Amino acid sequence: MTFSIERQEYRAVIICALAFVSGLFIRIVQDGVANYFAEKAIDWNGGLYKGNVKDGVPEGEGQFTKNDMTYIGQWMNGELTNGRILSPKYEYEGGIQNLKFQGFGICRYKDGHTYKGYWNQDNKEGLGLLNYADGKMTFAFYKAGIAQIPEGQNYQHGNAAYGIDVSRHQGLIDWPDMYISANNNGGVNGNLDDTPKYIQPVLFSFIKSTEGSDIVDTRFSDNYSEAKRCGILRGAYHFLSLKSSGKDQAKNFINHTILESGDFPPVLDIEKYESAQVNLSDEEFSKIVPVAKEWLQEIEKHYGVKPIIYTNMRTYTNFLKPDATFGKYYYWIAYPGSTPPEVNNCIIWQFHHHGKVAGIKDNYVDLNKYFGSYSDLKKFVEKEGIK
């Protein structure tokens, strides 16, 4: 009997395929259970699991459901190390150990409360901020689930809203560990006590994204994502330069700054004094006014919201206040000291240039205060911020 070349090649392919399957079967028998992705839920540990499996246990991304609880995230040797826990009473995201809250995480309860901070086996343990459904909050070091409120504290957290602005100059920031030292009335002077008795939370942050037409802050992406992970209201800012057009600088910001719903409006930083442009004459610096207008127009067109202007008092007085065009914007004014600036539409006051904040090691940071409570601040961002 004779075979065509095509039939011989087909037969060879079949034989090779059978050999491969046979070898795979032998490997599975020898190794136990092979690695695979369970597209349909499988029985595991008294519940149902769907996802990546290695040697019979979850390994990699997967979802496990048991007793009305769902555990989603990254598994390692059958243990969920980080991810989400969903229950009829809450939704949690953060560190996990033994299928319990562990390390830093945020828990959003169905009754409207939210806790962001540290946990130890489902108990609040360490620095944490508890937002109640009625707008009140507690910020403290927790022990066995109980907030350690110091004797003599005469203020309610959230009545004043403090924040920071950062760039690459602050280096690596431990966002979950941030707090500001305060006095017994809640006031902040910029110092950081070694063993603070009274503390204030960092409730909002502005993060440098770009400068000029070609500079991108190397820490922006990490800082911006960490602020969100830690439940801190966030915004991005651009430092305006005279070296390129407002349109080109707006393009740089847009290309490198993805803003999300719930973020502050974009911020334009315009500075002559106390900045890299301090040595320019007033006549030279005045050329920045049309550049600023162009940037503001391009940014508002792209993001659909009116930007905020950051500046210092002298720049505002000498270059922005005389031009009625700038009167329609909200302001964030740098004016170090104990007396707030008297500027129309000023919503945020930068009162300290050399503040110390826990979580920012060996570097100073600017401290800011919103003119209103934290509830007022959230309403402002909801109304004027990114939709």
Side-chain angles (χ1 to χ4, degrees):
M1 183 181 293
T2 60
F3 296 91
S4 67
I5 294 176
E6 290 81 1
R7 291 182 66 187
Q8 291 183 48
E9 290 177 345
Y10 178 75
R11 183 182 180 189
V13 169
I14 294 297
I15 292 172
C16 289
L18 289 172
F20 173 78
V21 172
S22 176
L24 179 61
F25 176 75
I26 292 172
R27 183 177 66 81
I28 291 174
V29 172
Q30 289 176 341
D31 295 347
V33 181
N35 303 345
Y36 66 97
F37 180 82
E39 295 185 359
K40 294 183 178 180
I42 60 173
D43 292 331
W44 180 75
N45 200 28
L48 295 175
Y49 175 81
K50 180 180 179 180
N52 292 293
V53 178
K54 180 180 180 181
D55 296 334
V57 298
E59 181 77 18
E61 288 294 323
Q63 175 176 314
F64 176 61
T65 302
K66 182 178 180 180
N67 299 333
D68 295 327
M69 302 284 288
T70 301
Y71 307 86
I72 306 169
Q74 190 71 29
W75 298 75
M76 183 179 297
N77 194 29
E79 291 286 341
L80 184 60
T81 57
N82 191 279
R84 300 167 62 206
I85 301 178
L86 312 180
S87 91
K89 295 182 179 181
Y90 58 77
E91 294 186 6
Y92 169 84
E93 184 170 6
I96 299 171
Q97 185 181 74
N98 301 323
L99 299 184
K100 294 183 177 182
F101 309 166
Q102 185 71 24
F104 182 83
I106 298 179
C107 187
R108 297 176 174 86
Y109 298 92
K110 297 298 175 69
D111 62 6
H113 300 347
T114 299
Y115 174 83
K116 63 167 187 171
Y118 284 96
W119 303 82
N120 182 25
Q121 294 297 283
D122 283 349
N123 281 318
K124 302 177 184 70
E125 188 78 25
L127 186 66
L129 174 64
L130 180 59
N131 282 299
Y132 299 94
D134 62 3
K136 295 180 181 179
M137 69 168 60
T138 297
F139 181 63
F141 290 96
Y142 283 77
K143 186 175 182 180
I146 300 175
Q148 307 300 296
I149 305 298
E151 186 177 345
Q153 180 171 304
N154 295 320
Y155 62 95
Q156 291 290 326
H157 292 105
N159 286 349
Y162 292 98
I164 60 173
D165 54 281
V166 300
S167 68
R168 64 180 178 83
H169 297 294
Q170 275 67 46
L172 184 63
I173 299 174
D174 294 322
W175 287 86
D177 299 333
M178 287 199 298
Y179 63 80
I180 309 171
S181 293
N183 59 34
N184 67 320
N185 292 315
V188 170
N189 62 17
N191 297 324
L192 183 64
D193 300 332
D194 293 333
T195 55
K197 185 174 182 181
Y198 308 106
I199 57 176
Q200 288 279 16
V202 173
L203 294 173
F204 64 94
S205 61
F206 289 104
I207 301 164
K208 184 177 182 180
S209 175
T210 53
E211 178 177 337
S213 62
D214 57 0
I215 297 174
V216 179
D217 192 278
T218 55
R219 295 292 311 164
F220 173 73
S221 181
D222 287 341
N223 282 333
Y224 213 64
S225 61
E226 277 293 283
K228 180 180 181 179
R229 183 178 76 89
C230 296
I232 297 173
L233 289 174
R234 61 182 188 171
Y237 74 89
H238 172 85
F239 185 87
L240 194 66
S241 168
L242 266 171
K243 296 179 181 179
S244 52
S245 69
K247 190 171 184 177
D248 285 345
Q249 295 188 56
K251 184 178 179 180
N252 184 29
F253 183 85
I254 291 168
N255 287 343
H256 296 95
T257 315
I258 299 175
L259 303 182
E260 299 178 0
S261 176
D263 290 346
F264 276 96
V267 176
L268 180 60
D269 182 346
I270 309 174
E271 296 179 70
K272 175 184 188 306
Y273 311 100
E274 300 177 333
S275 79
Q277 301 173 128
V278 66
N279 292 323
L280 296 175
S281 68
D282 284 1
E283 183 179 0
E284 289 175 306
F285 189 79
S286 66
K287 297 175 183 177
I288 209 166
V289 169
V291 177
K293 290 180 180 179
E294 189 174 44
W295 189 95
L296 292 166
Q297 291 170 359
E298 292 293 318
I299 292 299
E300 184 172 354
K301 185 191 308 180
H302 179 80
Y303 293 101
V305 298
K306 196 178 298 295
I308 295 171
I309 296 176
Y310 167 87
T311 191
N312 51 53
M313 275 299 294
R314 291 174 66 190
T315 302
Y316 169 77
T317 301
N318 294 337
F319 300 96
L320 303 181
K321 184 180 179 180
D323 193 319
T325 302
F326 295 110
K328 64 181 180 180
Y329 295 98
Y330 287 107
Y331 279 91
W332 164 23
I333 299 290
Y335 192 56
S338 58
T339 304
E342 295 183 3
V343 173
N344 291 334
N345 294 337
C346 180
I347 57 170
I348 299 172
W349 169 31
Q350 187 178 93
F351 63 91
H352 207 300
H353 285 328
H354 297 91
K356 296 293 292 183
V357 173
I360 300 179
K361 300 177 181 178
D362 304 322
N363 286 299
Y364 293 109
V365 66
D366 295 327
L367 299 180
N368 306 278
K369 186 177 183 180
Y370 177 74
F371 289 124
S373 68
Y374 182 53
S375 294
D376 296 331
L377 175 58
K378 289 192 293 183
K379 290 175 183 176
F380 170 82
V381 174
E382 183 179 352
K383 179 182 178 183
E384 305 292 343
I386 302 298
K387 305 297 186 287

